[in-house]
Amino acid sequence: MNKFVISCILLLGGVAAHAQTALKINATDPLLGRCGLSVERRLNDAFAAGAEVDVLSREVFLEGSSWFISQHAMKRGIVAEPFVRWYPAGAEDLSGVYASLGGFFGFANYTLDEPDQLGRHTWSANGTSLHLGWQKCLGRLALDLFMGTTWANDRYPSVYVEATALYPPPQGLRASGGLRLGWVFKAAEAASKP
């Protein structure tokens, strides 16, 4: 997993070095037991595109169906979230109010506290999100606040379902939001330097 994270950082950093791009961490992800890194690249005057990669590593509670015992498990995996952003006032310097449409694909394995001999326990999910946000670039620093809604289709191991305490619901429509902090790379500035 560590090799994957390092590879993602190097790949995203390489992309960021060649265009007007923001490289950001999700400051609210640690509250959900994950770590996220995203890249956003300006495409033209109104649009930007990018992706976020989240690494999951947290303890969860799995509720068993019928005679299977409920138990704690460690969930480890990855979620990839490509997105497109529309800046109504223009994407100059990647600042301003935006609307973002994205999708996500996630995969994880559960390591059960009490193995049940039923084979490998995996989780997968896919879905879409619609967010409204405001991004402010202070020089090269980026502050990105967003909120909106996410529709998720989660698939759990056959005899278990992940328990959540009211939020977020394990399936369907849910609220989402957060704060990203990052660094903006500006190709135009780099080209103007002697």
Side-chain angles (χ1 to χ4, degrees), residues 72-159:
H72 290 276
M74 198 65 189
K75 181 180 183 180
R76 290 187 177 92
I78 189 163
V79 178
E81 305 173 52
F83 61 84
V84 175
R85 286 184 175 179
W86 171 56
Y87 290 85
E92 186 65 36
D93 296 330
L94 297 174
S95 285
V97 174
Y98 65 84
S100 176
L101 178 64
F104 66 88
F105 312 93
F107 304 94
N109 288 320
Y110 293 107
T111 304
L112 306 177
D113 282 353
E114 300 290 331
D116 58 14
Q117 309 303 320
L118 291 178
R120 189 175 182 145
H121 295 291
T122 60
W123 164 87
S124 65
N126 58 30
T128 187
S129 63
L130 178 62
H131 290 118
L132 297 177
W134 174 74
Q135 183 163 272
K136 179 68 177 171
C137 295
L138 306 166
R140 288 184 177 261
L141 296 175
L143 174 71
D144 182 4
L145 295 162
F146 64 97
M147 61 183 294
T149 185
T150 298
W151 177 83
N153 179 21
D154 294 87
R155 287 179 295 283
Y156 296 101
S158 59
V159 296

